[in-house]
Amino acid sequence: MKSDAVKKGTQQAPHRSLFNALGLTKEEMDRPLVGIVSSYNEIVPGHMNLDKIVEAVKLGVAMAGGTPIVFPAIAVCDGIAMGHTGMKYSLVTRDLIADSTEAMALAHQFDALVMVPNCDKNVPGLLMAAARVNVPTVFVSGGPMLAGHVHGNRTSLSSMFEAVGAHSAGKMTLEELTEWEEKVCPTCGSCSGMYTANSMNCLTEAIGMGLKGNGTIPAVYSERIRLAKHAGMKVMELLEKNIRPRDIMTKEAFLNALTVDMALGCSTNTMLHLPAIAHEVGIDLNLDIANEISAKTPNLCHLAPAGHTYMEQLNEAGGIYAVMKELTKKNLLNTDLITATGKTVGENIADAVNLNTEVIRPIDNPFSETGGIAVLKGNLAPDSGVVKRSAVVPEMMVHEGPARVFDCEEDAIAAIKGGKIVAGDVVVIRYEGPKGGPGMREMLNPTSAIAGMGLGSSVALITDGRFSGASRGASIGHVSPEAAVGGPIALVEEGDIIKINIPENKLELDVSDEELARRRANWVPKDPGNLTGYLKRYRELVTSGNRGAVLEVPAK
């Protein structure tokens, strides 16, 4: 066992004395040491129940003959961090989580790991760590929140942000706004639509690193406690069979995950996280392949914010396995791949049934014949831009209009709420990319303000930053190269015509090459300000959005 390095032999007597100090018995030391990575904290609603999940995992590990030992991982609540400087610290935690988990796992020589994440950067960060450490690993998330209910209608966090825009536009009273804020987030768990957290927890199932229900069983269901116990037991089986993350997370598994991503209509943030996770196993997941997969993958689900169904309904309809079963009807998945269940994809989904064809459309009656995400390119985004196509209204699939240019999110929000943005405009928010932010802030506040003010079907938003999974509309993010490194988005001027054609995957600035060359010659980079601490180091190391914003030491 890997843990023998800290348990066996006379040279390890000091190590054993420290295990004695922990209260471990000889019997416990003789068993495999299983690290349980707990993302529990008291500030993230999706994490406040993880202490119960962790206790259930510990029971499962112990029942199966292992010794469970818990250590922590940090987590940021994107919703609470939204719209202020705190959002600069969201994406950047993905690498802190990966680095610190790698350090803890290898410093203490754990034989296996169970990862217990839930929200946003926690899931990809721990998947990155799992790939690095490469000991048998199972994921079990904290589960999604139940949908809120306002006046008999299901609702969620994205509706809350849009309600703020409606109030700013005089369409909602303060009393109505207060009622919404008291009802839209009724339980613990990851926010109830197909936002980033739920997207990544669902794709953890699709890629093979989580058990059935990992992405969809609601946080408050006792079924999730049972799932956690099974995860603890399952990791011991994987240890016995020596099935490791790199055996599971193969290139074919990432292609499966991208296919499920397109069918579900996941958050555009998956286009950051999947390449970053793949990078850790030595796979270059070029975003160009996303459009190839999207072209042949029907969009089967319209969960919030794309539609009016929520995670609890996806769970009741059969969950991710039912979606995957639909996809196999057109041979869109590789079903021979091994997973964390110890079985193949095909064996996992053999008995899956679609129990609600309105929530999970049959493969021959999809919401659209193409997938939920599109990668756009053109002279405004030579490397890429990303849009959640399934959440764009038909009339905005092709659009052109004048650029309204802002060098930070706050200025854009002030203009939107001040009534300075009108139908037909294309709002451009730049210098918010991985380096420019730094930290690539999410733009849920401006997209929600646009939607709440009734402009969602007539105004587009383009940024080198990114969007929350709760964003909807013609919201094009991850524009690469970003403004901070002199990408074309830095050269856009007020009133320039921008042309968007989502069906043709195009994003163009209607300005001549000669004029762009003139502007480039006069371009002066924006001063990043007096950065200190982690953000300063992050800015120096981070790569572009189209590469997953992974960290690399700059070439000398």
Side-chain angles (χ1 to χ4, degrees):
M1 288 188 291
K2 191 179 184 74
S3 62
D4 287 350
V6 294
K7 296 189 307 185
K8 301 291 185 182
T10 55
Q11 290 296 319
Q12 279 66 41
H15 306 69
R16 289 193 296 275
S17 71
L18 293 169
F19 282 119
N20 288 334
L22 288 170
L24 292 188
T25 64
K26 181 179 184 302
E27 292 80 3
E28 288 173 300
M29 282 187 268
D30 286 342
R31 297 174 178 177
L33 300 185
V34 179
I36 301 173
V37 188
S38 172
S39 303
Y40 168 77
N41 65 44
E42 295 182 343
I43 189 64
V44 184
H47 290 220
M48 63 180 285
N49 65 321
L50 295 190
D51 54 343
K52 295 178 176 61
I53 302 296
V54 166
E55 287 302 314
V57 172
K58 288 174 66 177
L59 279 172
V61 169
M63 284 191 291
T67 297
I69 300 176
V70 179
F71 63 88
I74 64 167
V76 164
C77 177
D78 275 19
I80 295 174
M82 194 73 66
H84 55 88
T85 191
M87 182 45 68
K88 294 178 183 287
Y89 286 90
S90 171
L91 179 62
V92 305
T93 64
R94 186 185 70 183
D95 296 274
L96 281 176
I97 291 161
D99 292 348
S100 59
T101 303
E102 172 195 356
M104 288 292 289
L106 294 179
H108 302 102
Q109 294 291 288
F110 287 106
D111 296 299
L113 298 168
V114 180
M115 306 292 198
V116 188
N118 209 27
C119 290
D120 299 304
K121 312 311 164 291
N122 231 222
V123 186
L126 291 182
L127 282 165
M128 290 163 69
R132 294 180 193 175
V133 178
N134 201 36
V135 297
T137 302
V138 175
F139 275 66
V140 56
S141 77
M145 183 184 294
L146 294 180
H149 289 81
V150 180
H151 300 159
N153 298 314
R154 285 188 175 95
T155 188
S156 62
L157 184 66
S158 56
S159 301
M160 189 67 244
F161 276 89
E162 291 178 16
V164 173
H167 177 258
S168 298
K171 298 179 179 181
M172 179 178 285
T173 67
L174 182 59
E175 290 75 17
E176 289 171 324
L177 184 67
T178 301
E179 180 184 11
W180 278 67
E181 73 179 72
E182 290 176 350
K183 294 180 177 179
V184 297
C185 296
T187 72
C188 63
S190 47
C191 296
S192 56
M194 189 53 78
Y195 310 148
T196 304
N198 291 328
S199 294
M200 290 307 303
N201 283 324
C202 289
L203 295 187
T204 299
E205 267 189 77
I207 207 168
M209 289 296 293
L211 306 184
K212 179 184 179 183
N214 177 71
T216 60
I217 298 171
V220 294
Y221 284 14
S222 297
E223 183 183 359
R224 184 155 290 276
I225 300 296
R226 299 198 299 271
L227 177 70
K229 291 176 183 176
H230 283 131
M233 290 185 275
K234 185 60 67 174
V235 80
M236 297 304 295
E237 179 186 327
L238 297 184
L239 180 60
E240 181 182 353
K241 294 178 177 178
N242 196 29
I243 298 174
R244 301 172 181 241
R246 293 190 185 186
D247 300 322
I248 295 169
M249 291 194 285
T250 61
K251 183 174 183 178
E252 292 75 16
F254 282 102
L255 297 182
N256 275 0
L258 274 171
T259 302
V260 175
D261 189 341
M262 296 301 171
L264 288 173
C266 289
S267 163
T268 53
N269 282 312
T270 62
M271 295 294 103
L272 281 175
H273 300 323
L274 289 176
I277 300 161
H279 178 76
E280 296 294 342
V281 293
I283 296 170
D284 180 14
L285 199 63
N286 191 307
L287 285 189
D288 290 343
I289 201 169
N291 284 340
E292 295 176 27
I293 291 175
S294 180
K296 61 184 180 182
T297 306
N299 178 223
L300 305 181
C301 299
H302 263 193
L303 286 93
H308 298 287
T309 52
Y310 295 86
M311 294 303 296
E312 63 206 71
Q313 292 165 281
L314 178 59
N315 186 63
E316 292 161 6
I320 303 309
Y321 280 13
V323 174
M324 295 174 75
K325 186 66 173 287
E326 289 290 345
L327 292 170
T328 62
K329 294 175 182 178
K330 286 194 175 180
N331 298 315
L332 294 174
L333 296 178
N334 186 325
T335 58
D336 296 328
L337 307 179
I338 195 66
T339 72
T341 66
K343 299 177 181 179
T344 66
V345 171
E347 290 172 319
N348 287 343
I349 67 174
D351 298 326
V353 177
N354 182 355
L355 299 174
N356 188 331
T357 55
E358 289 302 311
V359 174
I360 305 172
R361 287 283 186 88
I363 195 79
D364 56 0
N365 182 32
F367 285 101
S368 67
E369 292 294 340
T370 52
I373 291 177
V375 176
L376 312 184
K377 287 191 175 185
N379 69 343
L380 185 52
D383 291 336
S384 71
V386 180
V387 64
K388 187 169 184 173
R389 173 166 44 194
S390 60
V392 179
V393 295
E395 54 265 41
M396 289 298 290
M397 297 296 280
V398 177
H399 177 78
E400 67 176 77
R404 306 297 309 280
V405 184
F406 305 93
D407 285 351
C408 68
E409 177 190 5
E410 288 82 358
D411 290 350
I413 292 171
I416 295 165
K417 291 187 175 179
K420 296 179 180 179
I421 303 301
V422 299
D425 284 348
V426 179
V427 176
V428 176
I429 305 177
R430 61 192 180 191
Y431 295 103
E432 292 284 11
K435 285 185 181 294
M440 205 177 187
R441 289 196 288 180
E442 289 185 343
M443 302 293 161
L444 180 56
N445 271 348
T447 59
S448 297
I450 288 169
M453 296 182 77
L455 297 171
S457 60
S458 60
V459 169
L461 195 155
I462 297 172
T463 181
D464 53 7
R466 60 196 179 92
F467 294 107
S468 165
S471 293
R472 64 186 176 99
S475 304
I476 301 165
H478 309 191
V479 169
S480 303
E482 62 174 292
V485 299
I489 192 172
L491 309 178
V492 181
E493 294 184 357
E494 188 81 6
D496 286 347
I497 298 300
I498 292 176
K499 297 180 177 181
I500 301 165
N501 191 319
I502 295 173
E504 294 184 6
N505 303 317
K506 291 181 179 179
L507 180 60
E508 298 282 348
L509 180 64
D510 192 15
V511 173
S512 70
D513 293 343
E514 292 77 15
E515 173 62 14
L516 287 177
R518 184 192 68 78
R519 294 181 188 180
R520 184 173 298 284
N522 296 321
W523 174 70
V524 177
K526 182 183 176 183
D527 185 352
N530 186 29
L531 291 175
T532 59
Y534 183 49
L535 286 183
K536 181 179 180 181
R537 297 197 302 276
Y538 185 87
R539 187 178 194 275
E540 292 169 352
L541 299 177
V542 70
T543 61
S544 65
N546 69 300
R547 296 187 56 202
V550 298
L551 303 187
E552 286 185 352
V553 177
K556 293 183 179 179

